[in-house]
Amino acid sequence: DSAHMNQETNSFKAFGHVKIEQGDSLEIYSKRLNYNGNTRIGHLFHDVKMINGEVTLYTDTLIYDRNRNLGYYKCGGKLVDSLNTLVSKHGYYYSNTKIAEFKYDVVGINNSSTIESDTLTYDTETKIATILGPTHILHSDSTTIYSELGWYNSESEQSQLLKESLINHGKGKTLAGDTIFYDKHLGIGEAFHNVILKDSINQIRLHGHYGYYKEEGEISIITDSAMMVEYSQKDTTYIHGDTLYSYTQ
């Protein structure tokens, strides 16, 4: 609605219904803008909305760096695309790659799951979240995932978990291992090295270095130094074998 330009400093301030257009797909709206033409950096304030195709970022204060096509906030914000809504204290969005980085109190929500994390990277095109710190993924059927490193595809519900990882299927069933591949849609998990399949209700643990678990039928297979520990009675029972197979009758 109004602006003040300083030719000596190559900068200007804009007030009221501010709109920035860059290329064919990027638009940024705010109520106030401070822009430096030398650094090509703009500071936008109040009801900021950054739109890039299907992705929209909301915050109250945004810094936009035209050199890196980067918009970021450090006062809390929200990113929304066709599948997920992610909120955090700090957020960075690269409009050319459509990749977002979130830090501190990160929460991602869609129709089937909720992600809670400290540090997360999210590709708005592939819908893949990269886990870079302690992260919980909670599914609507009470299945929970914990990991500190890996990735999670929020569209296909597949994940690869690489550090301190644990899957809790509910009904007292858990799967742990150094590396876990999990397909929530198929209900199948595979784990490698230091694998523990635990049934806390029936008080049974399966140990080995390769494990397979299928939620339908509660089928478990463990091999490579396989051992079963059954501790429901006073005396604990140990069973060793090349391969152990467990299922629900």
Side-chain angles (χ1 to χ4, degrees):
D1 291 342
S2 60
H4 176 266
M5 182 170 182
N6 188 325
Q7 291 184 337
E8 291 183 359
T9 60
N10 191 26
S11 63
F12 69 89
K13 297 181 179 181
F15 308 90
H17 298 96
V18 178
K19 180 181 179 182
I20 296 175
E21 293 184 1
Q22 182 168 308
D24 297 328
S25 59
L26 181 66
E27 296 178 348
I28 309 176
Y29 299 85
S30 70
K31 291 184 177 178
R32 185 162 64 89
L33 165 68
N34 295 340
Y35 182 75
N36 187 312
N38 296 322
T39 62
R40 292 162 56 90
I41 294 176
H43 294 248
L44 299 102
F45 305 92
H46 310 309
D47 298 330
V48 182
K49 181 168 64 174
M50 180 178 179
I51 303 172
N52 187 24
E54 294 184 343
V55 180
T56 304
L57 188 153
Y58 301 89
T59 185
D60 195 59
T61 302
L62 180 77
I63 299 174
Y64 184 66
D65 186 340
R66 292 184 59 209
N67 303 294
R68 296 186 288 168
N69 295 314
L70 166 65
Y72 62 96
Y73 59 83
K74 294 188 176 182
C75 59
K78 175 175 68 174
L79 183 142
V80 181
D81 67 5
S82 58
L83 183 63
N84 295 290
T85 297
L86 295 108
V87 299
S88 65
K89 287 186 177 179
H90 294 187
Y92 307 79
Y93 178 70
Y94 296 85
S95 59
N96 54 343
T97 62
K98 296 188 177 181
I99 291 177
E101 299 174 0
F102 303 96
K103 294 182 179 180
Y104 310 118
D105 298 336
V106 185
V107 178
I109 301 172
N110 61 34
N111 291 331
S112 61
S113 64
T114 299
I115 300 176
E116 299 176 352
S117 180
D118 179 71
T119 305
L120 200 71
T121 299
Y122 177 63
D123 189 322
T124 61
E125 292 195 315
T126 64
K127 313 302 181 189
I128 293 176
T130 301
I131 299 166
L132 299 171
T135 299
H136 291 88
I137 303 172
L138 304 96
H139 289 276
S140 55
D141 67 347
S142 78
T143 298
T144 62
I145 298 171
Y146 176 83
S147 185
E148 296 180 7
L149 183 67
W151 56 260
Y152 171 69
N153 189 318
S154 59
E155 190 168 44
S156 66
E157 296 188 309
Q158 295 175 325
S159 57
Q160 178 180 338
L161 314 170
L162 303 172
K163 182 180 179 182
E164 302 293 336
S165 304
L166 179 71
I167 298 174
N168 188 332
H169 176 52
K171 299 181 182 179
K173 303 280 193 309
T174 60
L175 171 63
D178 290 351
T179 300
I180 299 176
F181 298 94
Y182 181 59
D183 189 320
K184 174 58 184 170
H185 181 68
L186 297 177
I188 293 174
E190 282 188 286
F192 301 85
H193 304 296
N194 301 310
V195 179
I196 300 175
L197 281 158
K198 184 177 180 180
D199 182 345
S200 60
I201 294 177
N202 294 306
Q203 297 182 300
I204 294 172
R205 294 198 313 269
L206 298 173
H207 297 252
H209 291 299
Y210 171 77
Y212 171 93
Y213 178 72
K214 185 175 182 180
E215 294 172 3
E216 185 179 354
E218 299 181 10
I219 296 170
S220 302
I221 299 172
I222 197 88
T223 188
D224 192 357
S225 306
M227 178 178 69
M228 185 191 84
V229 182
E230 199 273 343
Y231 53 96
S232 62
Q233 305 299 322
K234 182 178 179 180
D235 294 326
T236 301
T237 301
Y238 297 86
I239 298 176
H240 297 266
D242 292 335
T243 301
L244 297 176
Y245 176 82
S246 170
Y247 61 95
T248 300
Q249 265 190 327

